[in-house]
Amino acid sequence: AAFLTARPPTLQIFPSWPMRFQQSPRVRQGSLWSARRSASSSAQNTASHAESDNPASRMASSDLCPDRKQQQEMMMVSVHGFYCSKFASSTVSTVGFHFSGLCCMFQRKMTGSTARKDGKVLDPKRIRRLAQNREAARKSRLRKKAYVQQLETSRIRLQQLEQDLHSARLQGVFLGVAGCANGPTSSSAAMFDMEYARWLDENCNHMSGLQGAIQAHLPDGDLGVVVDQCVAHYDELFRLKAIVVKSDVLHLLNGAWRTPAERCFLWMGGFRPSELLKMVVAQLDPLTEQQFMGICNLQQSSQQAEEALSQGLEQLHQSLADAIAGGFLSNDAAVGSYIVIALGKLDNLEGLVRQADKLRQQTLHQLRSLFTTIQAAKCFLTIGEYYARLRTLSSLWASRPRESLIRNDVVVSTSTDLQIVHQPLQNHFPYLPL
Amino acid sequence: MDRVMRLASQKAVVIFSLSSCCMCHTIKRLFCELGVNPAVYELDEDPRGREMEKALVKLLGRNPSVPVVFIGGKLVGSTDRVMALHLGGKLTPLLREAGALWL
């Protein structure tokens, strides 16, 4: 076997021919062998490997064959292989003649009897078979070459496409980001989307860090450091949002940068603080009386602030609608001014969304100071997990099968441990990173 | 400026506003939600509104001029400050102190 693997690839299609030559009749042995040799995948290749045949044959004779007879066979075949490669380009008849001659030599060596008569009788058929095999092999080689070339071209094209996409993204020509219906995205919006994606990745790391720190029962000081890092990471997000709110507040408001399920809950370009507080309170038992009061007050104040901001937004909507509708039937000069007014109104949006973000940021900071270190750790882990689940929900939603396969009895687990999805759902969507 | 300060000290809660400004509307709504009855001065409807706006900008040290909130005659600030106070639970005590809230 080792002898075979040392040979050029052409011989790997003869896994057991040494054994065959021992057992089958002499004539058939010879013809089998020669037929196979000619059908080897690349006669041209054996030409290049001609030199390797000899050392291989030397190897064969050393220790790999169990008995002397086999060794002789192998030696003969290696020599024949050499001859085969030498005569690869010759005509059919020459090769056929040569083969048959070689086979006779081979058979005489094996058995000591003369089989020349038999060899001559089979010539024409063998010649035709050899020719057909050669032709088939040639066609097969051409097909393979064509296929490989196709693969190569596709690979190059794929590389180029990836490069183009990357540079296009950097330039801000970012089509197909969640909100296709919103038309072309501004470059600052595209920039923000990229930064946000990176922030999400980093947030995952922070969440893993938190979980690890909790499970490792770190002392308060160390755990506090990890929690504070999480909070600081949220501050980073608000810094990013503060930049894009100046250049493209509508992008923040339309939620194109969030996943579909998250957009359901979007309030003024982000999460609604009172909703988050309700969720956190429900998940984080037990709380002291003082803590509970603190959170309730925080929730109430937040709700009042949110209501005020929502009212402000409504007033803005109204005045914007008035400005746009203004001067429909007036003269040209007045009509032109509605754009100026409307743009001015849109600018006011920035102030409202900025206030909403400040509300969100303050809520998170208040949570940090209201809780003990371990509670705060669990709190922020819960928040991170909550939004991760929302994003998972979005993926499930986006990849659900057209005909709904989800039966009524398959329910998403709502237990308070961090298991995410009931098993049957996993079977429907096996590739989701849950 | 004098007029501003004089008006500011006449009632427990005083808000200087512009009728078209949505942030002003927000602040007004917030105080209403808290059960406070603020004195609101719409500077775009006041003949001396322009000077008062300028005075307020100087007082705050930045634009925009409105909304500006005074509680108990003392300057509290603009939207940022009011929201932060409220979330920190400090607005309500301030209002009670000034007699704007009775609960």
Side-chain angles (χ1 to χ4, degrees), chain B residues 23-81:
Chain B
M23 288 312 303
C24 299
H25 188 76
T26 303
I27 290 293
K28 283 183 263 179
R29 295 290 336 153
L30 180 64
F31 280 106
C32 288
E33 272 178 67
L34 299 180
V36 174
N37 197 14
V40 178
Y41 296 100
E42 305 284 1
L43 298 180
D44 51 337
E45 291 162 6
D46 195 301
R48 290 154 69 177
R50 293 247 79 201
E51 339 170 353
M52 290 166 76
E53 265 188 83
K54 285 194 196 127
L56 286 170
V57 169
K58 227 184 278 182
L59 203 62
L60 285 177
R62 58 174 169 83
N63 258 322
S65 55
V66 289
V68 179
V69 175
F70 287 82
I71 299 181
K74 283 190 283 228
L75 174 69
V76 170
S78 188
T79 326
D80 276 7
R81 190 88 215 290

Side-chain angles (χ1 to χ4, degrees), chain A residues 298 300-305 307-313 315-316 319 345 348-349 351-352 354-355 358-359 362-363 366, chain B residues 18-31 33-34 78-81 83-90 92:
Chain A
L298 181 62
Q300 191 185 35
S301 309
S302 187
Q303 240 163 331
Q304 286 162 338
E307 183 56 34
L309 282 170
S310 298
Q311 293 275 341
L313 187 62
Q315 199 225 26
L316 185 63
S319 59
K345 298 291 176 193
N348 292 337
L349 266 179
L352 283 172
R354 211 155 4 99
Q355 281 304 321
K358 283 215 173 80
L359 205 67
Q362 277 170 30
T363 306
Q366 288 278 357
Chain B
L18 284 172
S19 58
S20 57
C21 165
C22 55
M23 288 312 303
C24 299
H25 188 76
T26 303
I27 290 293
K28 283 183 263 179
R29 295 290 336 153
L30 180 64
F31 280 106
E33 272 178 67
L34 299 180
S78 188
T79 326
D80 276 7
R81 190 88 215 290
M83 290 283 186
L85 279 174
H86 189 48
L87 220 63
K90 302 205 174 71
T92 317

Side-chain angles (χ1 to χ4, degrees), chain A residues 113-124:
Chain A
S113 65
T114 55
R116 189 181 278 271
K117 208 195 292 182
D118 288 341
K120 266 196 180 146
V121 164
L122 286 173
D123 258 358

Side-chain angles (χ1 to χ4, degrees), chain A residues 104-412:
Chain A
C104 294
M105 266 170 66
F106 178 84
Q107 284 149 27
R108 254 198 310 244
K109 186 93 174 148
M110 283 287 297
T111 60
S113 65
T114 55
R116 189 181 278 271
K117 208 195 292 182
D118 288 341
K120 266 196 180 146
V121 164
L122 286 173
D123 258 358
K125 273 192 195 164
R126 199 191 302 154
I127 289 168
R128 193 176 69 236
R129 193 171 43 243
L130 294 176
Q132 280 170 348
N133 283 344
R134 228 181 350 267
E135 190 53 37
R138 194 179 67 90
K139 285 201 181 126
S140 168
R141 281 194 301 278
L142 285 173
R143 272 201 306 273
K144 181 179 175 183
K145 196 172 172 190
Y147 179 66
V148 168
Q149 248 167 11
Q150 221 180 18
L151 278 180
E152 286 293 324
T153 346
S154 300
R155 194 175 63 88
I156 292 170
R157 215 159 59 97
L158 179 65
Q159 257 175 354
Q160 226 151 37
L161 276 174
E162 280 177 340
Q163 259 171 10
D164 288 345
L165 185 64
H166 181 70
S167 53
R169 275 183 182 169
L170 288 176
Q171 287 166 30
V173 182
F174 200 90
L175 308 168
V177 175
C180 288
N182 302 316
T185 321
S186 74
S187 61
S188 64
M191 201 64 218
F192 174 74
D193 287 353
M194 270 193 333
E195 300 276 353
Y196 178 65
R198 195 160 49 102
W199 184 90
L200 271 180
D201 276 342
E202 287 165 10
N203 198 44
C204 280
N205 292 340
H206 278 101
M207 291 302 121
S208 316
L210 258 185
Q211 193 163 39
I214 294 174
Q215 280 170 353
H217 302 290
L218 288 186
D220 256 22
D222 297 336
L223 185 60
V225 168
V226 180
V227 176
D228 288 335
Q229 278 172 351
C230 278
V231 180
H233 192 57
Y234 277 106
D235 287 339
E236 176 61 33
L237 177 62
F238 289 113
R239 261 193 296 277
L240 290 174
K241 288 180 88 179
I243 295 171
V244 77
V245 82
K246 285 197 184 73
S247 46
D248 195 350
V249 62
L250 290 177
H251 180 68
L252 273 185
L253 276 176
N254 69 29
W257 55 290
R258 301 293 279 257
T259 63
E262 287 174 302
R263 266 178 246 148
C264 270
F265 298 92
L266 205 74
W267 173 78
M268 293 195 73
F271 68 84
R272 191 184 267 267
S274 57
E275 264 176 15
L276 191 75
L277 288 170
K278 272 186 230 162
M279 190 271 296
V280 161
V281 161
Q283 294 300 316
L284 278 175
D285 281 325
L287 299 170
T288 68
E289 179 85 23
Q290 196 181 24
Q291 283 176 330
F292 188 71
M293 287 309 296
I295 298 232
C296 282
N297 289 336
L298 181 62
Q299 196 184 311
Q300 191 185 35
S301 309
S302 187
Q303 240 163 331
Q304 286 162 338
E306 289 161 27
E307 183 56 34
L309 282 170
S310 298
Q311 293 275 341
L313 187 62
E314 233 184 76
Q315 199 225 26
L316 185 63
H317 278 160
Q318 190 56 58
S319 59
L320 183 60
D322 289 342
I324 292 171
F328 265 167
L329 302 171
S330 320
N331 55 39
D332 287 9
V335 163
S337 69
Y338 85 84
I339 295 178
V340 175
I341 299 173
L343 280 175
K345 298 291 176 193
L346 281 180
D347 273 342
N348 292 337
L349 266 179
E350 177 193 326
L352 283 172
V353 175
R354 211 155 4 99
Q355 281 304 321
D357 269 351
K358 283 215 173 80
L359 205 67
R360 291 184 262 262
Q361 191 174 18
Q362 277 170 30
T363 306
L364 292 177
H365 280 269
Q366 288 278 357
L367 279 176
R368 175 68 185 97
S369 52
L370 265 173
F371 287 142
T372 64
T373 313
I374 183 72
Q375 282 173 327
K378 289 183 183 161
C379 168
F380 281 95
L381 193 60
T382 305
I383 293 173
E385 180 61 28
Y386 179 76
Y387 286 104
R389 289 189 188 189
L390 269 181
R391 286 191 291 272
T392 304
L393 189 61
S394 298
S395 305
L396 283 170
W397 175 259
S399 64
R400 75 197 187 287
R402 289 304 142 220
E403 337 78 50
S404 178
L405 297 174
I406 301 174
R407 308 178 308 273
N408 285 340
D409 53 349
V410 170
V411 164
V412 176

Side-chain angles (χ1 to χ4, degrees), chain A residues 211 215 283 381 385-386 388-390 392 411-426 433-434:
Chain A
Q211 193 163 39
Q215 280 170 353
Q283 294 300 316
L381 193 60
E385 180 61 28
Y386 179 76
R389 289 189 188 189
L390 269 181
T392 304
V411 164
V412 176
S413 167
T414 52
S415 55
T416 51
D417 65 346
L418 299 183
Q419 288 296 308
I420 299 182
V421 182
H422 197 267
Q423 196 55 33
L425 266 177
Q426 183 108 40
L434 287 180

